[in-house]
Amino acid sequence: MKSVNMYIVWAHPRSDSLTAQVVQEIQGEAAERGINVSSLDLYRSGFNPSLGVDDEPDWNNPQKQYSPEVHRLFGELADKDTVVVVFPVWWYSFPAMLKGYLDRVWNYGLGYGPGGTLGNKKIRWVALVGGSQAGFVKYGWEKNMTDFIDGSMGYLGVEDAKIDFLYNTIGVEEGIGDSDAHYQQLFAQARGIVADLAQ
């Protein structure tokens, strides 16, 4: 088994949410496989997602010094080879908290551009979709989100990236009879992401 050093970034306002439970499943599977894993809970960490002047990219200065918070959080990625981002899909996109993290922390001169260091990492996105896969695909949202993430990964120079959708997380669109079995299947899907990374 190859060595994996994993960093989980996740966003949900409730610490007892399904998103949090998925993170716990990923952490537990990682621990069982001897993977070194640490995580950033954006809500409980007090992260401010608003991009201020201090953290605005300066295209003429890739060595710009951003706020201490940004450099500290980006520094947490330095020795990690794998980043797993876990989030609920709201309005067919990221929660504002996560988008603010991407804007502020995966910044010019840090994550991308001259001196950018995210390109050599594996990045996995775990998106919790409230409704069914059929509806999400029918209206083009799966393709839209996949294209957006693929394009962003290309911008960062990341060659090993993948998005996994966990569908019907609210459990109402497909007439699920056995909700416990349904959620256990979602947890198994999340653990499978770790298993694939460990191969």
Side-chain angles (χ1 to χ4, degrees):
M1 183 177 66
K2 62 186 176 182
S3 175
V4 179
N5 205 6
M6 180 184 296
Y7 188 80
I8 302 172
V9 181
W10 69 283
H12 199 286
R14 287 187 294 106
S15 60
D16 63 349
S17 63
L18 182 62
T19 301
Q21 293 176 59
V22 167
V23 170
Q24 291 169 7
E25 293 290 331
I26 292 172
Q27 290 172 323
E29 184 71 18
E32 283 191 16
R33 293 177 176 273
I35 292 173
N36 180 26
V37 58
S38 57
S39 64
L40 172 63
D41 175 348
L42 288 170
Y43 277 89
R44 260 60 59 186
S45 71
F47 179 74
N48 179 2
S50 297
L51 176 69
V53 174
D54 288 349
D55 295 326
E56 185 180 4
D58 182 347
W59 309 116
N60 296 315
N61 180 18
Q63 285 80 41
K64 176 179 176 175
Q65 289 298 300
Y66 300 105
S67 65
E69 181 183 33
V70 163
H71 284 281
R72 175 180 60 81
L73 290 175
F74 193 81
E76 292 183 3
L77 297 168
D79 63 343
K80 310 301 187 296
D81 52 68
T82 303
V83 181
V84 179
V85 185
V86 186
F87 62 98
V89 175
W90 291 342
W91 291 98
Y92 310 107
S93 187
F94 302 126
M97 181 68 80
L98 177 57
K99 183 59 166 62
Y101 172 83
L102 302 177
D103 288 344
R104 292 187 61 206
V105 180
W106 292 10
N107 214 325
Y108 180 66
L110 299 177
Y112 66 97
T117 60
L118 285 179
N120 61 354
K121 301 184 187 298
K122 295 181 179 180
I123 301 184
R124 298 294 183 267
W125 303 82
V126 184
L128 282 75
V129 180
S132 68
Q133 182 175 10
F136 207 64
V137 171
K138 177 180 179 180
Y139 295 106
W141 294 113
E142 184 180 271
K143 182 179 186 304
N144 179 68
M145 183 164 280
T146 300
D147 287 349
F148 177 78
I149 288 178
D150 285 348
S152 301
M153 295 299 92
Y155 200 64
L156 292 168
V158 175
E159 296 183 359
D160 191 343
K162 182 183 177 185
I163 181 169
D164 286 274
F165 296 96
L166 276 58
Y167 283 106
N168 213 355
T169 58
I170 297 176
V172 297
E173 283 198 7
E174 294 176 333
I176 294 168
D178 188 340
S179 60
D180 184 63
H182 171 66
Y183 289 111
Q184 289 303 320
Q185 184 276 323
L186 294 180
F187 295 149
Q189 185 181 348
R191 292 193 299 271
I193 295 166
V194 180
D196 289 343
L197 288 167
Q199 291 179 356

